[in-house]
Amino acid sequence: MDTTASREELLAEARRAWRAYVTSGTDEDYVAARTATTAARKAGISLDEIRDQ
């Protein structure tokens, strides 16, 4: 993900990635979800915010 992504973009991507993983259950979607979550967490976004959909 672009390092200049806004907080809102990081949050939206993390939420989207986790929804995709929950729907598919694939290893690829899990890795994408973890990557997006890590980027969001580094930007100061809490797991509660990501889960609060």
Side-chain angles (χ1 to χ4, degrees):
M1 176 156 287
D2 185 2
T3 57
T4 62
S6 72
R7 185 180 193 285
E8 292 78 23
E9 290 170 325
L10 290 168
L11 180 57
E13 176 58 20
R15 287 178 172 174
R16 185 212 58 77
W18 275 108
R19 279 192 308 270
Y21 170 63
V22 168
T23 300
S24 72
T26 65
D27 290 343
E28 293 82 7
D29 282 340
Y30 175 77
V31 171
R34 290 297 305 158
T35 300
T37 299
T38 299
R41 297 283 293 135
K42 287 181 179 178
I45 299 170
S46 72
L47 291 176
D48 286 337
E49 288 178 275
I50 294 168
R51 291 183 194 129
D52 184 29
Q53 300 183 35

